[in-house]
Amino acid sequence: MDTIDLWGIRVKPCAPDDVIEWIRNNQGEKKVLLNHNLHSTYLHLTNEKFRSLYSSSDLTLIDGMPILAALAIRRFRKQQPSLSVSQRCGSTDWIPLVGEIDDGIRIAVIGASSSSNSSAVEAISRMAENGEVRGWSGYEGKEALISEGFESLRTFRPDLVLIGLGMPIQEEFLLDHWDALPAAVFATVGGAIDQLSGQQRLAPRWTGKLGIEWLWRLASDPKRLASRYLVEPFKLMRVTVEFQFERRGIL
């Protein structure tokens, strides 16, 4: 993976097909698939527990145009190959292709409300017509899994587990219960479950290519996202300066 020196984060540029190929090649293994955007970068610099999971990630995708741009600048300075916009890959870019992984793929979906989870399971079942998809909500379902020691998840024998509990809860969930979880590829997907279910409107894919998906989301849900998109970037600027000073022994 490439390291973006500005924040000390590691990412690997991948198009959706690359992600599907990676999951296919890691079936039967216990792996972690994460992603980086500005929000996760801020948490990476301010939340030690969150950072510890990212440091052990098996694959971390670029899920934000600022991250892609920062890596592109680094590569340009080092005279390395340029990047494509398609290598900015969010969860809703690669999940629709899960049916290509394996005819009998087994997918677990953990997160969102019971109704949203059920609708997402139906949507993903259509994407993986020859597979099997089972869901647990992010509330009662998640707590039931924890209380039973994840026995029903192990019995299901998933190849891929989508965890959409929001940052940093989903990352802490993985860290806290890693030893009890079965062998599978565990992918943190944030709000993708609600987007796939139709609970939240999915941004048109062309907005991602233009780097304005965040603006579409902000307009769609300003109450929930105003702080993340309008305030947190300034906080990130501050902690970035602190991070750089610490690396140089100034602080």
Side-chain angles (χ1 to χ4, degrees), residues 3 8 118 122 139 142 148 170 199 222 243:
T3 299
S118 296
E122 292 178 6
Y139 305 97
K142 180 193 71 174
E148 68 177 26
Q170 59 196 13
Q199 188 76 25
F243 172 71

Side-chain angles (χ1 to χ4, degrees), residues 23-216:
I23 295 173
R24 181 186 296 116
N25 291 337
N26 284 280
Q27 286 188 83
E29 302 290 331
K30 196 172 184 180
K31 301 286 186 178
V32 177
L33 169 59
L34 306 175
N35 55 78
H36 255 313
N37 51 36
L38 285 185
H39 182 48
S40 64
T41 300
Y42 176 75
L43 291 171
H44 187 273
L45 293 175
T46 59
N47 185 317
E48 184 176 352
K49 194 172 185 179
F50 185 92
R51 184 166 57 251
S52 68
L53 179 65
Y54 271 74
S55 67
S56 60
S57 170
D58 296 291
L59 177 64
T60 304
L61 306 176
I62 299 172
D63 181 22
M65 289 301 292
I67 308 301
L68 185 70
L71 183 56
I73 292 171
R74 176 187 179 277
R75 285 195 165 201
F76 176 78
R77 289 174 175 172
K78 294 181 177 292
Q79 297 184 326
Q80 295 174 334
S82 60
L83 299 173
S84 165
V85 173
S86 67
Q87 291 174 306
R88 174 264 177 201
C89 183
S91 300
T92 51
D93 293 311
W94 64 263
I95 290 177
L97 305 180
V98 291
E100 300 177 10
I101 297 173
D102 183 79
D103 280 345
I105 188 168
R106 303 169 70 85
I107 304 172
V109 182
I110 302 173
S113 66
S114 295
S115 60
S116 182
N117 187 283
S118 296
S119 296
V121 166
E122 292 178 6
I124 296 170
S125 295
R126 292 191 293 270
M127 299 168 186
E129 294 181 353
N130 298 318
E132 184 175 353
V133 186
R134 182 174 175 185
W136 289 265
S137 77
Y139 305 97
E140 294 87 353
K142 180 193 71 174
E143 293 306 314
L145 281 174
I146 293 172
S147 64
E148 68 177 26
F150 297 92
E151 180 60 31
S152 59
L153 186 63
R154 286 196 296 271
T155 299
F156 179 59
R157 295 180 292 107
D159 300 297
L160 173 65
V161 182
L162 306 178
I163 303 177
L165 302 172
M167 292 181 175
I169 297 174
Q170 59 196 13
E171 289 77 19
E172 293 173 352
F173 173 84
L174 272 179
L175 277 173
D176 291 342
H177 305 290
W178 183 250
D179 291 341
L181 295 169
V185 172
F186 290 86
T188 56
V189 299
I193 297 175
D194 281 334
Q195 292 162 1
L196 292 169
S197 72
Q199 188 76 25
Q200 293 179 11
R201 292 179 62 193
L202 181 62
R205 302 328 296 150
W206 59 266
T207 61
K209 294 179 180 180
L210 293 178
I212 59 171
E213 185 171 343
W214 69 273
L215 187 59
W216 191 95

